[in-house]
Amino acid sequence: MSAFTPRHAARPTALELSEAYAVGSTTPVEATEAALAAIERHDPLVHAMVLLDADGARRAAHESTERWRQGRQRGPADGIPTTIKDILLTRGWPTLRGSRLIPEHAPDDWARQWPEDAPAVARLREAGCVLLGKNATPEFAWKGVTDSLRHGPTGNPFDPRLTAGGSSGGAASAVGLGMGAWSVGTDGGGSVRIPAAFTGTVALKPTYGRVPLYPASPYGTLAHAGPMTTTVADAAFLLDLIGMPDARDWSALPAPPRTFLDGLDDGVEGVRVAVSPRLGLAVDNHPAVDRAVAEAAQVLAAAGARVEEVDPELTDLDVLGAFHTLWFTGADKVVQAYGEGALERIDPGLRGAIQRYAHGATAGDYLDATAVRMELGRRMGLFHERHDVLLTPTMPMPAFDLARQGPSHESDDGEGDGGEGADLWTSWTPYTYPFNMTQQPALSVPLGLTADGLPVGVQLVGARHTDALVLRVGRALESGSDRTDVVPPLLRG
């Protein structure tokens, strides 16, 4: 057996593992044991996992190893150690969504209470992936940091005293620290991209419908599911698995015409890239964020892309107000389902936002918000007739203190969402939620560190259904800069 030598010994990629399984230089059992050891070592620091099924993972890894030995593996992803955000149904495991409203039941009742997989989880199980456990989320995935009354806060791999972002912060921290090669997150306003930027990982919010969802999200067609990985190639690899139709989601797209790995390294010669450092908004980016966007533009230009700085025409639309109406009326319906008194038992910030933005909202308000969304989609559709890809920051700043709900204010006092100008998560994520409104694919790629050693990310946005192009541009950026390979200090040396 030849030696297994991934680029980073403590954090092999899924593609590296698949290639190693094929030649016999490592096995799913060895990879799973390494992931379990990483969880044992690092999870007490970051609290990324809310459920761990070590025994089940070991059984699955042994079965996968035997399939590879006999040459009857289910495919290239057979045996890849995987975690799942605790928003997605997973057969035989509780899905608690970070909420104290959901009863956990006894373990011997889990199979009856949770008898089916969400579509993405079903595809991973069919592919033979080793499911390790479930990742932390804020209550009902409602905000851009990962903490909940049920499970507490999730820290950052670069400094556990800082937030991992959210709402897929548990998944990002797990992937960043080698606690599984990849994870599946959800994104209704930035929830895979925010934590990717904060943790130095890669995340893709695909075109809406590319990854089916069941049950339907309470946030409606704002909500996407997508890959969370350490490389763009792994994001394409994972999208190949989970980006297949499922009859339970009426809005699911048909199967893609070819694998997302095909053509990934074809380069960006002639691709039209629009660079917008602030989307035309009055945003005060961290200097490292501005440097990262400028560097990304230079890397892509050097690779042959046609790059120009231009802002989409969005500032006259009340995109934020429309998003709040759509988002928090959805959240309100979730909470209502748990009966009288449920509102008093949830995250105080969520309660305050529901009271402010959903209570009193009318059908007319919802239709007005939808009209803003449709106009935004029209404008971005026309924008992409002139520009293939839009390059922006993912986040204006690096990760902030774990005790805060945003970069400038302490946690809310429990009596509302913080009031005018406070850190409701949408106030500090201006580059992410607009593209949930338009359902476009958006990829976050890490690009360097601040002077304090914290990751920053850049975002690549394409027209709807151009996921393959967005991944190809991300891959060109990753290949053209050595500053996309961002590894936490815990894993260095």
Side-chain angles (χ1 to χ4, degrees):
M1 178 183 289
S2 59
F4 176 46
T5 54
R7 184 172 184 181
H8 299 294
R11 198 177 73 176
T13 70
L15 281 168
E16 287 173 334
L17 288 172
S18 180
E19 292 165 2
Y21 297 164
V23 300
S25 59
T26 195
T27 67
V29 166
E30 292 168 338
T32 298
E33 289 298 338
L36 291 172
I39 292 171
E40 182 178 7
R41 184 179 310 116
H42 301 308
D43 200 52
L45 297 175
V46 296
H47 307 291
M49 305 294 296
V50 297
L51 182 147
L52 176 64
D53 184 3
D55 291 342
R58 288 188 170 106
R59 285 194 300 271
H62 278 282
E63 293 168 1
S64 177
T65 296
E66 187 62 16
R67 289 194 294 270
W68 279 100
R69 188 186 68 81
Q70 295 180 7
R72 56 181 184 86
Q73 63 273 14
R74 296 178 183 175
D78 200 336
I80 302 298
T82 303
T83 59
I84 305 293
K85 183 180 180 180
D86 192 31
I87 287 292
L88 299 171
L89 291 179
T90 308
R91 189 179 73 230
W93 291 348
T95 299
L96 303 178
R97 298 181 173 93
S99 180
R100 298 189 299 189
L101 298 178
I102 302 174
E104 184 170 359
H105 303 283
D108 59 5
D109 200 30
W110 287 356
R112 184 179 68 85
Q113 291 294 329
W114 290 280
E116 63 182 330
D117 289 324
V121 180
R123 303 293 86 77
L124 291 166
R125 201 185 297 275
E126 291 163 3
C129 293
V130 174
L131 304 187
L132 300 168
K134 305 200 81 173
N135 304 125
T137 176
E139 190 162 21
F140 301 119
W142 84 274
K143 61 182 175 180
V145 297
T146 298
D147 61 49
S148 70
L149 296 176
R150 182 155 205 157
H151 294 124
T154 296
N156 192 301
F158 282 77
D159 185 343
R161 298 169 299 180
L162 304 180
T163 183
S167 63
S168 304
S173 278
V175 168
L177 289 168
M179 296 154 60
W182 55 23
S183 187
V184 179
T186 62
D187 188 315
S191 288
V192 300
R193 292 161 289 154
I194 296 165
F198 283 176
T199 63
T201 53
V202 171
L204 173 68
K205 178 188 75 67
T207 298
Y208 177 79
R210 171 48 55 211
V211 179
L213 286 170
Y214 172 83
S217 170
Y219 304 113
T221 58
L222 294 172
H224 305 55
M228 304 191 71
T229 64
T230 57
T231 66
V232 174
D234 267 9
F237 186 16
L238 183 49
L239 189 59
D240 279 340
L241 299 184
I242 64 176
M244 301 299 290
D246 189 290
R248 294 171 293 174
D249 184 350
W250 64 270
S251 62
L253 296 174
R258 61 175 185 166
T259 169
F260 288 100
L261 286 168
D262 285 349
L264 190 64
D265 287 306
D266 284 356
V268 293
E269 185 71 37
V271 173
R272 300 168 299 173
V273 177
V275 183
S276 182
R278 287 170 176 75
L279 277 184
L281 305 170
V283 182
D284 186 18
N285 290 339
H286 189 284
V289 171
D290 283 333
R291 287 195 298 270
V293 172
E295 179 179 343
Q298 292 168 0
V299 168
L300 295 175
R306 294 158 51 191
V307 177
E308 66 172 311
E309 187 166 321
V310 57
D311 294 323
E313 296 179 3
L314 311 179
T315 55
D316 61 315
L317 295 174
D318 184 13
V319 179
L320 181 57
F323 182 84
H324 283 161
T325 297
L326 298 171
W327 187 256
F328 290 112
T329 53
D332 191 25
K333 290 297 292 183
V334 175
V335 176
Q336 287 178 22
Y338 292 95
E340 186 176 353
L343 191 66
E344 301 307 313
R345 298 169 55 203
I346 63 172
D347 180 326
L350 176 57
R351 179 171 63 245
I354 286 173
Q355 291 170 332
R356 180 173 180 180
Y357 296 107
H359 290 178
T362 66
D365 295 331
Y366 194 92
L367 291 173
D368 287 344
T370 301
V372 171
R373 184 181 191 184
M374 294 171 69
E375 174 60 15
L376 180 63
R378 183 190 73 85
R379 293 189 190 186
M380 289 307 303
L382 294 173
F383 181 85
H384 283 292
E385 288 190 337
R386 303 184 301 276
H387 310 285
D388 299 311
V389 172
L390 172 65
L391 168 65
T392 76
T394 306
M395 294 296 295
M397 79 295 288
F400 46 82
D401 192 277
L402 190 64
R404 299 176 184 268
Q405 294 294 294
S408 59
H409 292 276
E410 295 293 345
S411 300
D412 183 40
D413 62 8
E415 297 303 322
D417 69 4
E420 191 70 27
D423 278 330
L424 183 64
W425 67 273
T426 48
S427 71
W428 45 267
T429 57
Y431 307 126
T432 57
Y433 65 82
F435 304 111
N436 293 82
M437 297 282 276
T438 58
Q439 303 186 339
Q440 296 171 245
L443 175 72
S444 182
V445 180
L447 193 57
L449 304 171
T450 68
D452 295 326
L454 300 178
V456 296
V458 296
Q459 178 177 235
L460 297 163
V461 182
R464 293 173 70 241
H465 311 298
T466 62
D467 304 73
L469 173 63
V470 168
L471 287 163
R472 178 157 57 92
V473 176
R475 176 62 177 155
L477 177 58
E478 189 176 65
S479 301
S481 172
D482 59 5
R483 288 178 11 102
T484 62
D485 186 27
V486 177
V487 180
L490 289 170
L491 302 186
R492 295 177 197 160

